[in-house]
Amino acid sequence: MTEVHHGDASPQVFSAANRHWWDLDADDYHDRHPDYLGTDSPHGEFYWCPEMLHEETERLLGTPEELGAKNILEIGCGSAPCARWLAHDVPGAFVTGFDISMGMLRHAGTEHDAHLVQADAAALPYADAAFDVVFSVFGAIPFVEDSAALMKEIARVLRPGGRFVFSITHPMRWIFLDDPGPAGLTAITSYFDQSGYIEEDEDTGEVTYAEQHRTLGARIKELIDAGFTLEALLEPEWPAGVTRTWGQWSPLRGELFPGSALFVAKR
Ligand SMILES: C[S@@+](CC[C@H](N)C(=O)[O-])C[C@H]1O[C@@H](n2cnc3c(N)ncnc32)[C@H](O)[C@@H]1O
């Protein structure tokens, strides 16, 4: 049985719980979202969020001309559908991705041009100013205990003037149950409570899932404190005509409030 509570856990507990959880969920995650993740193609797909913003139309990272010959890093890449798509779309770019879960990385296969490694976002294994562009698509940012420290680490590995773009679940979703239906429309917890969401095995006491929450203002402050300038904050609307649910994302909820937040920042 799983016990859920709001509270704190150490950075090591966050990392261990997430590695374990994503290893276990990797196969189901790819079975649940085959089109979105481009599972039938070695080149993946690059959707920023369940509202289906695609990098081919949005170009939040820059045009292919701007990205040619650039060093690009994806944080918490999972099976790297986005890094693989980008490496294929921009042949001159050197695209690296890392993830803490080997179970997720394994789904990337080997027939692609991205460079993938297993690493923990809580300890970035890269030199200062090693990258021109850093991005994350629902990657590690909410899954490390100290995202303020991660923002500073990202600023360290990004060259001055470099771009950092990331998508996360919109912070206001925190107050609702993770449910695409009517149960997900009633507020059950405070938006302002920034303690973590922790799941524990009732018998062993082992933490099996850990996620943190920051308000929108706190996320922006973490970026500014790390030396970034925020250039855009996107809150995409649910697209007309998309009737399917995606985890807790659904037309019902999407019509009423945002599900995803995308931050576009410059170092
Ligand atoms: C929602 S999935 C997103 C994966 C991928 N970006 C995608 O769009 O399919 C979150 C990913 O973050 C990874 N993750 C969680 N904590 C991490 C950490 N501390 N360091 C690196 N990756 C982490 C998980 O293993 C998982 O692959």
Side-chain angles (χ1 to χ4, degrees), residues 22 29 37 76-78 99-101 104 119-121 137-140 143-144:
W22 287 102
Y29 178 77
L37 299 171
C77 64
D99 199 278
I100 200 166
S101 159
M104 291 292 276
D120 184 349
V137 180
F138 285 77
F143 303 117
V144 294

Side-chain angles (χ1 to χ4, degrees), residues 170-250:
H170 196 288
M172 76 161 294
R173 289 255 162 143
W174 189 254
I175 67 181
F176 303 107
L177 265 186
D178 256 8
D179 188 312
L185 299 180
T186 304
I188 55 162
T189 194
S190 167
Y191 175 75
F192 302 105
D193 179 357
Q194 298 193 65
S195 56
Y197 169 91
I198 311 283
E199 290 183 2
E200 270 179 19
D201 184 301
E202 224 172 53
D203 298 326
T204 63
E206 187 193 351
V207 176
T208 51
Y209 184 89
E211 186 175 345
Q212 41 91 332
H213 163 64
R214 299 288 177 268
T215 64
L216 202 50
R219 289 261 175 239
I220 293 170
K221 181 173 183 328
E222 288 184 356
L223 275 173
I224 291 170
D225 287 351
F228 288 104
T229 302
L230 183 63
E231 297 194 320
L233 170 54
L234 310 183
E235 298 171 295
E237 288 190 36
W238 190 262
V242 176
T243 52
R244 69 176 171 192
T245 63
W246 197 116
Q248 50 124 325
W249 282 260
S250 62

